[in-house]
């Protein structure tokens, strides 16, 4: 998702971030064209994977994904699924995860070598890599972002996303529902009233949303 046209503030360029379950990306607007920013590996998408190596180094993205088979208990994937959820919720849902989680006051902690990390902290590492990619590409600091979230995210999950961005050094100007962002990117909303279905074939989930659009006002029904 790219930030809206002419998205420039006194703090510099405003970026758009799609923090995905499987892959994430960051973009900005160049005139009326969205530009997806490549990461240090030269790819437009960054695997949403964080790994803790034996030497103490923390790696994010493709490097983390590649080493997962030999370091599975210290590699975290699909962290977005845990954002804003409680430990009791995970137990009730029966979710099977490849890494160990523990509960502290019903808060989820991912156990990595005896250290507990909140989902927001790990999502922040992914956002931090995206932020660094944008700063290297734009050759200027990036401090503000618009972030997409699933339409079904509740307030706790949205607040967790905001916290992750804050930990990454980003001010979130707005959270946009993913189906709304998709409809806007496709150019919908310019033909008066419309009722559209948006399919999201995601890496972690598959969703369908119904949107009511009226004079560029988008409502997820």
């Amino acid at each position: 998702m790219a930030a809206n046209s002419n998205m420039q503030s006194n703090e510099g360029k405003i970026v758009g971030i799609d923090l995905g379950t499987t892959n994430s990306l960051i973009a900005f607007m160049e005139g009326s064209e969205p530009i997806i920013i490549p990461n240090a590996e030269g790819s437009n998408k960054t695997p949403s994977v964080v790994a803790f190596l034996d030497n103490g180094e923390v790696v994010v993205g493709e490097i983390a994904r590649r080493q997962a088979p030999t370091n599975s208990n210290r590699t975290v994937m699909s962290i977005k699924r845990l954002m804003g959820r409680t430990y009791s919720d995970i137990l009730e849902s029966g979710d099977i995860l490849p890494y160990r989680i523990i509960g502290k006051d019903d808060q989820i902690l991912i156990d990595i070598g005896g250290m507990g990390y909140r989902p927001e902290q790990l999502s922040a590492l992914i956002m931090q890599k995206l932020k660094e990619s944008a700063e290297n590409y734009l050759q200027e600091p990036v401090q503000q972002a618009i972030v997409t979230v699933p339409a079904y995210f509740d307030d706790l999950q949205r607040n967790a996303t905001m916290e992750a961005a804050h930990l990454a050094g980003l001010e979130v100007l707005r959270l946009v529902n993913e189906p709304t962002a998709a409809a806007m990117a496709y150019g919908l909303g310019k033909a008066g009233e419309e009722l559209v279905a948006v399919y999201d074939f995601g890496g972690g989930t598959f969703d369908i949303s119904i949107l009511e659009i009226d004079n560029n006002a988008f409502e997820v029904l």
Side-chain angles (χ1 to χ4, degrees):
M1 192 261 316
N4 207 342
S5 58
N6 302 317
M7 294 303 280
Q8 179 88 24
S9 74
N10 294 332
E11 305 292 333
K13 280 190 170 62
I14 299 170
V15 295
I17 292 177
D18 179 2
L19 182 66
T21 305
T22 306
N23 293 291
S24 299
L25 60 83
I26 187 167
F28 74 104
M29 296 297 293
E30 187 71 77
S32 60
E33 293 296 320
I35 306 295
I36 300 176
I37 298 172
N39 57 29
E41 293 75 45
S43 175
N44 285 343
K45 61 182 181 181
T46 297
S48 301
V49 184
V50 178
F52 296 78
L53 306 185
D54 291 336
N55 62 4
E57 185 182 1
V58 181
V59 294
V60 179
E62 182 60 30
I63 297 173
R65 189 188 67 80
R66 285 203 304 262
Q67 60 79 66
T70 58
N71 187 30
S72 59
N73 61 340
R74 297 171 66 89
T75 301
V76 182
M77 304 179 182
S78 303
I79 194 62
K80 182 176 177 179
R81 294 186 179 192
L82 302 182
M83 295 280 283
R85 299 175 68 186
T86 62
Y87 185 67
S88 56
D89 177 35
I90 297 299
L91 292 180
E92 291 173 8
S93 66
D95 287 0
I96 299 175
L97 302 166
Y99 39 84
R100 182 170 179 263
I101 66 170
I102 55 179
K104 182 178 180 182
D105 299 326
D106 211 24
Q107 182 183 64
I108 294 172
L109 294 175
I110 292 87
D111 181 15
I112 305 291
M115 293 288 291
Y117 296 88
R118 294 184 298 120
E120 294 81 6
Q121 291 175 297
L122 299 178
S123 289
L125 294 174
I126 299 169
M127 285 197 179
Q128 199 168 47
K129 179 175 176 64
L130 297 174
K131 179 177 183 289
E132 290 171 356
S133 298
E135 290 177 336
N136 290 335
Y137 185 89
L138 297 169
Q139 291 297 296
E140 63 180 72
V142 171
Q143 299 175 330
Q144 297 179 317
I146 296 171
V147 183
T148 60
V149 292
Y152 59 80
F153 259 24
D154 60 23
D155 287 343
L156 290 175
Q157 291 169 305
R158 291 168 189 268
N159 288 337
T161 304
M162 297 272 283
E163 182 184 351
H166 177 72
L167 292 172
L170 289 165
E171 175 192 0
V172 177
L173 300 181
R174 186 176 178 185
L175 294 177
V176 178
N177 288 326
E178 290 170 356
T180 300
M184 293 172 66
Y186 194 71
L188 298 179
K190 300 175 182 178
E193 295 184 14
E194 296 178 85
L195 190 66
V196 299
V198 177
Y199 291 88
D200 183 353
F201 290 90
T205 56
F206 164 54
D207 309 298
I208 178 172
S209 302
I210 305 299
L211 273 67
E212 188 174 67
I213 309 172
D214 185 7
N215 293 322
N216 283 320
F218 295 76
E219 181 181 2
V220 179
L221 302 179

